Amino acid sequence: MLKGKKQMQGLSVAMLSLSIVLAGCSSNSNQASGTTTPSSNPSSSVKPTQSELPPYQIDWYIIGSGPQADNELVEAEINKITQPAINATVKMHIISFGDYDSKMTASLATGEKVDLMFTSNGNMNYNTMVGKGAFVDLTDKLDKLAPDAKKLLSEGFLQASAIKGRNYTLAAYKEKGSWLGIIASKNLMDKYKIDISQIKSIEDMEPALKIIKENEPSITPLLATALLSRAPNYNNREFWNVSPIQSLFMKKDGSAYALELDEPAYMSTLKTMNKYYKAGYIPADAPVKKINNDDKAKSAFMLTQLKPYVDVQVGNSLGIPMVYQNFGKPITTTNDLVGSMMAIPTNSKNPDRVLMFYNMMYANEKLINLVGRGIEGKHYVKKGEKRIDYAPDTDNGKKSGYKPNTTWAYGNQFQTYLMPGEPDDIWAQFKKFNDESEIVPDLGFNFDSSTLTSEVAAIKNAESEFRPILETGSVDPEVYVPKFKEKLKAAGIDKVLQEMNKQYESWKASGKK
């Protein structure tokens, strides 16, 4: 992330203008159709004008709160920027969180045109996708076609997401670390005088959950679902890893990877979740529940990753005040740097043009705020140079025709306008947060599973079967953990673990730490 306000100011002039670079020369995005742009062939020395580039529509698939009523209106404004600059228009496909993986898996499998898509260590796992040859290698294109992105992401993001030294993704430029903990409804905490600062673990939540269950029948005490939970990771930060195999984690001492199911702490948290499930604190359909903002707004607690002022941001998206509590100090993992990225699938018809567009999302303030906030005067109103509020007729955003809630997912987050409650010094606070984060020993290590595709597929099938029911507390872990472990063994997890540790040792020896 940016190193405080001073550096933000130093970069502001460059970031406010669109940089389209060819052979080290840049042009302004505000020029007319004669704007010079890079050739669609990055090795070409020719400097074509905008009119020499054939028209192209970029189909961009974004994870978010689902289709937006005013999507086409926002696209029209976006295209007023992109078309004069690179003769490209943008079609945004905003897919809901619960449907994203299934939709994208089907789209890619059928050869549907997908030019740019969200990927991370979770949704459409980038490591797995690269192993399948699904993403374009961007490494040799960045200097010419995405110089603004490369400059910002060289602060650790490119290193963390690299696979065998090659870059297939571009991360959102934002905070570098995270806490793990809980976020909660401030109204409910105040109403029942619950001191959230005293909650240091999932076990500590029990008295508060009991109060909510007994007094608020329309409220979900703990919104733990298959997509939101992974509960053992919150009590045990080392379980939070970037491996394509969720069941393998890096030991605290950084010596090697191990099987999560063998850890007593993993079983202990599962037992707590099962206890909460039986008490009715967790939704009965938690393993299969697809949640939306209404579900979140009608819950008392959620387990989540945290950052400074996350309560303000989540509160703005839900329309209710929130508070949060972290379990321990922040830690910077590969996970934290690859949690929000974009990739260009290999079935894109013009990867270079797509990359040219996405570079704009790191350099053009107007563009990123159109994508993230919508249209000024319709979806928001300016309250200052960098500060906005919801437009008056949108009922604090609840009736807005454009509210995807995903500014964290793309481009340069530090150019997004500040919402109500976000302090003017928020980036300085992030600087302090980053400075306090502890870097894990395997930062930047990415496991290459390309020679173990059948084993990884079988393991992921086992994880899909057992993790949702175990980590939401829906079944007795004493009964189901042995079954889960047996299935993992049959799938070849020991072979995968051996190869992972072999690669990890090689990575350490190469001095890439």
Side-chain angles (χ1 to χ4, degrees), residues 334-389:
T334 303
N335 236 21
D336 296 304
L337 299 181
V338 299
S340 305
M341 301 188 294
M342 293 291 164
I344 301 174
T346 50
N347 66 355
S348 170
K349 305 301 182 185
N350 196 330
D352 288 0
R353 194 82 62 85
V354 177
L355 185 57
M356 290 160 63
F357 157 70
Y358 196 55
N359 182 65
M360 297 181 191
M361 290 294 291
Y362 295 87
N364 189 297
E365 184 178 281
K366 183 177 180 181
L367 177 62
I368 193 168
N369 281 289
L370 271 170
V371 174
R373 305 299 196 194
I375 302 170
E376 182 180 357
K378 182 173 182 61
H379 304 116
Y380 70 85
V381 291
K382 278 285 195 76
K383 295 294 185 179
E385 183 181 358
K386 304 289 185 180
R387 184 170 293 283
I388 63 173
D389 199 351

Side-chain angles (χ1 to χ4, degrees), residues 108-299:
L108 295 176
T110 58
E112 184 176 344
K113 181 174 174 290
V114 179
D115 289 301
L116 189 63
M117 62 176 281
F118 180 86
T119 182
S120 69
N121 53 302
N123 294 98
M124 299 303 292
N125 181 275
Y126 76 102
N127 210 321
T128 302
M129 297 300 291
V130 171
K132 293 178 179 179
F135 292 159
V136 173
D137 186 342
L138 306 177
T139 314
D140 297 331
K141 301 175 181 289
L142 296 178
D143 282 332
K144 183 175 291 185
L145 302 181
D148 299 290
K150 182 177 180 180
K151 180 178 181 179
L152 295 176
L153 299 181
S154 292
E155 297 178 12
F157 294 91
L158 290 176
Q159 297 88 324
S161 63
I163 297 176
K164 291 186 175 180
R166 310 295 293 180
N167 288 108
Y168 301 84
T169 59
L170 294 177
Y173 185 60
K174 56 189 186 67
E175 77 280 355
K176 289 184 178 180
S178 68
W179 292 300
L180 290 178
I182 52 175
I183 191 162
S185 164
K186 185 178 186 300
N187 291 337
L188 290 171
M189 299 303 104
D190 291 346
K191 181 177 180 179
Y192 295 106
K193 295 181 171 54
I194 297 171
D195 184 358
I196 195 173
S197 69
Q198 298 305 305
I199 300 176
K200 307 292 186 181
S201 68
I202 292 174
E203 286 72 21
D204 290 346
M205 297 176 68
E206 186 170 11
L209 296 174
K210 187 174 188 294
I211 290 172
I212 301 299
K213 176 66 176 176
E214 292 176 349
N215 294 280
E216 298 285 346
S218 65
I219 297 293
T220 300
L222 177 57
L223 188 60
T225 69
L227 291 176
L228 280 182
S229 183
R230 298 194 66 186
N233 305 58
Y234 290 87
N235 273 352
N236 309 279
R237 189 61 168 85
E238 68 272 17
F239 290 166
W240 195 268
N241 61 73
V242 74
S243 164
I245 310 301
Q246 295 181 23
S247 299
L248 301 178
F249 77 102
M250 171 57 59
K251 292 181 178 180
K252 282 185 178 181
D253 61 6
S255 60
Y257 287 89
L259 182 62
E260 189 177 48
L261 274 66
D262 288 338
E263 297 298 303
Y266 180 79
M267 175 65 83
S268 176
T269 302
L270 294 184
K271 289 180 178 179
T272 298
M273 294 298 287
N274 183 234
K275 178 181 179 181
Y276 291 171
Y277 184 85
K278 290 177 178 178
Y281 302 154
I282 295 170
D285 60 346
V288 297
K289 186 176 182 64
K290 293 181 178 179
I291 62 166
N292 54 38
N293 278 352
D294 285 341
D295 295 317
K296 294 178 181 180
K298 293 176 181 177
S299 66

